Amino acid sequence: GGLPLPRPQFCAPPHTRRSPPGRGAGPPPPPPRPFPYPRTAVSSAELQRAQDFQAALDERAAECVVRWEFGTALLSPSIVRVWDANYCRLENAGEAGPGEIAEAAAEISAGAGLPHVSVVAPRKPDAARLSAGLRGLGFDPIRHVSMALRERPARPQVEVEEVSLSDVAAVEREIRADDDPDPPELTAALAEITRRIHTTTPSRWLAARDDDGQIIGRAWLLERDGVAQIEDVATAPFARGRGLARAIVSAAALAALDSGADLVFVVADADETTPELYRKLGFEPLGITTRFVRKPPAVG
């Protein structure tokens, strides 16, 4: 019911660059904070904070944020191939069926010139109710689990240092050497969304180097308002099996806690082995966010 929503008007919201803190001489770092919550605590409020953190991060990087019938749509027509930058977030589904939601999302996506349709369902009941119907309409579900740090990690034995985005970008091909190469257009689009997030959300890259000074593993620490997300953890193929990822994630978690974060989380593919690896580092599941994606028809 209600009046139909207008087609999205593509606007460029103001992006305010947050300069990194100065790195000159200053007071010594504060002593380690007591860990903020017990290992067994699981809170829906924490999951909501993690989801809100990600939603705000995406909105700051989007070219346009508009309302649609069932929530908020984030649109970046200049980088249409990046699904994370172009999706419809389901916030007030009510009793709407999968067909109604798919049709509304498809209209928003077509109006933005997107080749795909993506609907993100933060709430588990919505995802469960709509899953079968959306599958029948050609959508594939992608489930991501948010996991919160439940114990303060030990300080890593491997040296981990803060590096710049340009340092990380310079070795991206080596870090991703065993992945199937992305088409140049997608590679450029992914670099652009990384740049946008880097300039709109306070963040740090932490990395480990080999004996020659080459970066062989890294992670991205995003921080705002007492919440921190550790993202984009990767190690060069030849350097795996040495505990580098564990050391880098532990260093990032400690950096976040020492900066005052009371919620440190990661997001992993719920249907792969990665969540178990994070469990070994002291992270425990908070909940699932499901993204339903209908890909464009294959060409040829």
Side-chain angles (χ1 to χ4, degrees):
L3 297 174
L5 291 171
R7 285 186 176 275
Q9 299 296 310
F10 298 119
C11 52
H15 295 318
T16 56
R17 186 180 185 93
R18 172 91 172 248
S19 300
R23 292 184 172 80
R33 292 161 51 88
F35 203 72
Y37 31 55
R39 180 180 176 85
T40 55
V42 175
S43 166
S44 60
E46 289 175 328
L47 175 60
Q48 188 65 58
R49 287 181 73 196
Q51 290 177 331
D52 287 348
F53 179 93
Q54 291 183 286
L57 181 151
D58 288 347
E59 289 180 14
R60 288 190 296 271
E63 292 167 23
C64 195
V65 179
V66 298
R67 296 293 300 170
W68 70 302
E69 188 174 352
F70 301 107
T72 304
L74 280 65
L75 305 167
S76 293
S78 71
I79 47 174
V80 296
R81 299 192 63 176
V82 181
W83 295 348
D84 289 352
N86 294 279
Y87 63 87
C88 295
R89 192 164 60 234
L90 197 60
E91 298 166 341
N92 53 318
E95 297 302 316
E100 188 178 357
I101 289 170
E103 182 179 0
E107 182 177 358
I108 289 286
S109 300
L114 305 182
H116 69 281
V117 182
S118 179
V119 178
V120 172
R123 297 181 63 251
K124 184 177 179 179
D126 288 336
R129 181 175 66 84
L130 297 168
S131 182
L134 288 175
R135 281 174 180 264
L137 294 169
F139 287 81
D140 295 322
I142 303 169
R143 303 187 322 132
H144 289 111
V145 56
S146 296
M147 305 180 69
L149 187 67
R150 290 299 189 228
E151 59 185 35
R152 187 180 183 92
R155 192 147 311 264
Q157 299 301 307
V158 175
E159 183 177 351
V160 179
E161 64 182 87
E162 188 172 333
V163 298
S164 69
L165 174 58
S166 60
D167 291 333
V168 170
V171 296
E172 185 67 9
R173 181 174 298 179
E174 290 77 11
I175 294 289
R176 300 288 190 186
D178 65 342
D179 293 346
D180 292 332
D182 291 322
E185 179 187 354
L186 179 56
T187 299
L190 291 171
E192 171 59 17
I193 194 63
T194 297
R195 184 196 66 79
R196 291 184 191 180
I197 294 172
H198 184 78
T199 57
T200 57
T201 298
S203 64
R204 297 180 263 174
W205 290 91
L206 293 103
R209 299 180 185 268
D210 63 13
D211 293 339
D212 296 324
Q214 180 85 351
I215 291 175
I216 53 175
R218 48 95 170 118
W220 197 4
L221 176 61
L222 303 143
E223 304 167 281
R224 198 178 187 96
D225 299 331
V227 180
Q229 180 182 3
I230 302 171
E231 173 68 355
D232 207 8
V233 181
T235 305
F238 67 85
R240 291 173 188 165
R242 306 180 191 175
L244 288 178
R246 173 188 291 270
I248 295 168
V249 171
S250 295
L254 289 168
L257 292 172
D258 291 345
S259 293
D262 59 18
L263 173 61
V264 181
F265 75 99
V266 296
V267 177
D269 189 323
D271 299 309
E272 294 186 355
T273 58
T274 311
E276 280 307 309
L277 299 178
Y278 282 123
R279 275 185 182 272
K280 294 176 182 178
L281 295 175
F283 292 86
E284 295 291 341
L286 290 175
I288 300 287
T289 299
T290 304
R291 180 188 298 270
F292 296 95
V293 179
R294 187 165 66 195
K295 302 174 185 176
V299 178

